[in-house]
Structures are given as structure tokens and as C-alpha cells.
Amino acid sequence: MIPAAFDYVRAGSAEEAVGLIGQHGDEAKFLAGGHSLLPLMKLRLAQPSVLVDIGRITDLSYIRDGGDHIAIGALTRHRDIETSDVLHEHAPLLAHAASHVGDPQVRHRGTLGGSLAHGDPASDLPAVVLALRGSIVVRGSGGERTIAADDFFRGFLETALAPDEVITEVRVPKTGDAGWAFEKFNRRAQDWAIVGVAAVGGEQPGVALVNMADTPVRATAVEAALQSGASPADAAAGAGDDTEPPSDLNASPEYRRHLARVLVGRALETVVATGGSR
């Protein structure tokens, strides 16, 4: 289908982007890589009156060592995350998961900030940032604030972003020698995951699920079991607890819960086997 008519403006800085959104109101949307927004527009599920193009704001594309964390500009492409030496050393789970996003064309255009702002529960990277206990820095007319990943995803395609706010940076803690794993199951290469799992070990293990609820969701029962000393197999048994998986042409909720237990079990075995040796 063809999107509804819209106006187009290009922002040269984050400040200008916030100003343009404030000028055009709630009907305006930010455009970065476009891989999340444009398909919705073609289906008429999103009909913004104005697109504010932020894709050429170069000062929001970077990967930096922030001391106890890695700071990633919101407009950093998936391909840059995939190949980053800094992330491979300090947060390899994120770099590895980025290599599984879509195909090369998507990875060369899609951005981390766009993926998070879209809030799709079937998307890989929101769950990874959740498992890593990351945080999202946003800027709007009221200034800048930092939102924990646990508080960012509110509902289906809904986040804590105010209408006039834009993501400027994503921060993920360094994981040191902790083991990590990323698993996902899809019927065809490049399809959305039917179920996915991002897991990282350490003193405070993190496990998050893809496509198991209306938001990216933390597997709290699994994390609690791990902290109490449960084995990977015993911890994985709770992977489907307190979730409401969708039902669609690919899988029923019961099948997704089964997949979650299987994939979490595999991921946790990898975390245990590789902790300190990656």
C-alpha cells in the first residue's frame, strides 16, 4: 500500500529535532532508519502528518567507553554495533545480537534508537538492552532524562517517550567476564523471532524474552531461580511464567511457552559454560 500524504522536514541537530516536533505537535513522527515506521505507514497503521528526519544527525552516531558502561548514540547503525571492537570487548551480547537483526540491508540502515523507540516485542535489541539492565537517555522540551530499560516499555508499540522526546543515547553496563547467550527461533532466515532469549550471567543475571508478551519482557522467575542457585534446567522451567504470549499464524501461546523453556535452557547452559572464557 501507499502511505497517506505527509510533510517532510530534516533536522540538523537533536535540539532542532525536538523543536520541530514541538512545532508540529502529536501528529509528527521521527524518522531515522525507517525500517519500523515506514511499514506501519504503508499499512496505514501509522499516519503522521509530518516526518522529522533525524537520520543525518551525525553527532548521535557513536560507541564510547563510559567507564563502567558503554554509551551508544541513538543513531548508531546495527552494523556498527555488530562490528564494534569496544562492544565485543565489554558488552558482546549486544554486538552478537545485532548481527542477527534482519539482513545486511536492514543492519546498514536500521538504528538502535529507532528499534527501542518502536518498542516492538518481536524485536531482538530491546530485549537485549533489557537483559543487560541498560538505560535510555532522552531529550525533549523539558530537558534531558534517563529511563531504565525496565521502565521504558509500556505496552504494545508503546514506550515511556513523551511525544516531544527523542532518544539520544543508550547505555549498557560492561559485563566483564560474565557468560552470555542469544537464542532465537524463526521459521525462515530474516523472519521475526517466534521466540527469542537474551541472557547474561554475573552477580545479577539478566534474562529477557522476545515475542512473549505485548512488550519486551524480563523473565523474572528465571532470574530469581538463578540468584537462588538453581541449575540452568531448573531455572529454565519458569521461562513461560507470568507471560501472555501472542497467538498468530506462527505459534500458539502454549507453543511459545514451550519454546521459551527450551531456548532459555540452551541459553543458560551457554552462559554457564562460557562465563569467564569468552
Side-chain angles (χ1 to χ4, degrees):
M1 293 181 64
I2 299 174
F6 60 88
D7 292 328
Y8 170 90
V9 291
R10 180 182 296 165
S13 67
E15 291 76 13
E16 184 182 2
V18 170
L20 287 169
I21 285 289
Q23 175 184 340
H24 291 287
D26 293 350
E27 296 304 313
K29 294 290 185 182
F30 289 117
L31 174 69
H35 285 89
S36 299
L37 178 60
L38 294 182
L40 292 181
M41 291 175 62
K42 289 180 179 180
L43 293 171
R44 303 293 178 99
L45 297 176
Q47 298 186 44
S49 61
V50 179
L51 288 185
V52 178
D53 188 348
I54 59 175
R56 300 191 186 187
I57 303 177
T58 56
D59 58 353
L60 292 185
S61 178
Y62 57 82
I63 300 172
R64 299 171 183 162
D65 190 326
D68 63 347
H69 68 276
I70 302 301
I72 308 160
L75 294 181
T76 305
R77 309 290 182 182
H78 302 320
R79 175 61 178 170
D80 294 327
I81 294 171
E82 174 186 356
T83 59
S84 166
D85 291 338
V86 173
L87 285 172
H88 276 281
E89 180 178 359
H90 296 297
L93 172 58
L94 181 56
H96 177 77
S99 72
H100 289 264
V101 174
D103 55 24
Q105 182 179 7
V106 169
R107 294 195 293 275
H108 277 85
R109 292 299 302 166
T111 64
L112 177 59
S115 181
L116 297 180
H118 190 50
D120 193 334
S123 184
D124 299 331
L125 298 187
V128 172
V129 173
L130 193 61
L132 289 170
R133 303 181 190 277
S135 56
I136 296 100
V137 181
V138 306
R139 190 179 304 170
S141 58
E144 187 175 88
R145 63 190 180 114
T146 302
I147 308 169
D150 285 282
D151 300 323
F152 188 74
F153 304 106
R154 297 284 183 82
F156 183 67
L157 304 183
E158 178 186 357
T159 70
L161 278 172
D164 67 340
E165 287 182 324
V166 61
I167 298 175
T168 57
E169 185 174 276
V170 179
R171 298 171 182 170
V172 294
K174 293 181 178 179
T175 55
D177 292 334
W180 55 269
F182 180 74
E183 297 275 351
K184 73 175 180 179
F185 180 82
N186 47 16
R187 296 191 183 279
R188 300 175 301 175
Q190 304 168 13
D191 275 356
W192 296 103
I194 295 176
V195 173
V197 178
V200 62
E203 294 182 0
Q204 191 176 24
V207 182
L209 304 174
V210 178
N211 223 356
M212 284 293 290
D214 59 357
T215 67
V217 64
R218 185 180 296 286
T220 54
V222 176
E223 293 174 340
L226 291 172
Q227 289 187 305
S228 68
S231 67
D234 289 341
D241 293 358
D242 302 321
T243 62
E244 296 184 7
S247 177
D248 54 32
L249 294 175
N250 290 314
S252 66
E254 293 76 16
Y255 183 56
R256 280 193 161 91
R257 290 191 182 96
H258 168 73
L259 272 180
R261 290 190 291 269
V262 171
L263 295 180
V264 168
R266 292 177 185 173
L268 296 182
E269 291 287 355
T270 300
V271 168
V272 170
T274 60
S277 63
R278 290 262 188 181

